[in-house]
Amino acid sequence: MRHTIEYWIKRCAFYFGGDQPFVSWPERLRSCAGAFVGLVLVFTVAKLLGDLSGIDEWLMASLGASALLVFALPGSPMAQPWAVIAGNTLSALIGISAAILVREPLLAMPLAASFSILGMFILRCLHPPAAAVALIAVLGHVVNYRYALFPVLIDSVLLVIAGAIYSNLTGKPYPNRPN
């Protein structure tokens, strides 16, 4: 059977984002502006808290991925406060434990990520960026459980608060409310 060029373009487009839903430009800009404002606020407050407490670690690198979910996909179950806060904090605790208990990073990293996923399933707080939090703890040789409290827990709470304020001010309900 002979196919047209249009058929092949449509068929191949799927593999280059053709399955992504259309998002209007105003919504794209709303999401990007929210991520910018939210992260500026979180980073500023976290840096201030770090300076006040004498702690150098005031930022978690995966916060950008969490911001994508909170600001661009506020209706997603993986962007809800429990998922963001508990998923990130649990994964930090597991990553720190793996860094302490398993000296070989090539084994500690997959253990940290996989156990954090299992823990998130058990606690019903799936948040994809949180698996990266576990890896970051191992890669950064984090061996102090304080890291799970600050910056991970505090930054996650600040992000959720910024997301709730921004989303609701711009007409997007966040967090989801039970029916």
Side-chain angles (χ1 to χ4, degrees):
M1 171 177 253
R2 196 172 148 169
H3 297 288
T4 66
I5 291 176
E6 288 176 39
Y7 166 83
W8 286 107
I9 289 173
K10 191 174 190 178
R11 184 173 171 95
C12 293
F14 173 83
Y15 298 103
F16 296 99
D19 61 336
Q20 296 290 307
F22 174 77
V23 177
S24 70
W25 274 102
E27 179 59 21
R28 292 175 192 187
L29 295 174
R30 187 201 71 77
S31 299
C32 292
F36 176 78
V37 170
L39 288 172
V40 165
L41 290 172
V42 171
F43 294 161
T44 302
V45 172
K47 177 72 170 128
L48 178 64
L49 291 173
D51 288 346
L52 290 175
S53 61
I55 298 173
D56 290 335
E57 304 150 336
W58 52 271
L59 168 67
M60 59 177 200
S62 63
L63 206 59
S66 293
L68 181 143
L69 287 169
V70 170
F71 291 98
L73 300 168
S76 168
M78 295 180 188
Q80 299 312 301
W82 175 250
V84 176
I85 296 166
N88 282 334
T89 305
L90 171 70
S91 295
L93 292 168
I94 291 171
I96 294 164
S97 297
I100 292 169
L101 298 172
V102 182
R103 292 288 178 206
E104 175 53 53
L106 291 176
L107 181 57
M109 287 187 296
L111 282 171
S114 59
F115 277 109
S116 72
I117 293 167
L118 176 61
M120 287 186 283
F121 268 122
I122 291 168
L123 294 182
R124 301 177 54 88
C125 58
L126 284 173
H127 183 64
V133 173
L135 292 176
I136 291 165
V138 174
L139 285 171
H141 310 289
V142 177
V143 293
N144 188 331
Y145 285 102
R146 182 221 19 97
Y147 180 81
L149 174 63
F150 183 72
V152 175
L153 174 69
I154 300 300
D155 285 1
S156 297
V157 168
L158 291 170
L159 184 71
V160 165
I161 291 169
I165 293 168
Y166 182 83
S167 291
N168 286 291
L169 286 175
T170 59
K172 287 283 187 180
Y174 177 80
N176 282 348
R177 293 177 177 55
N179 295 331

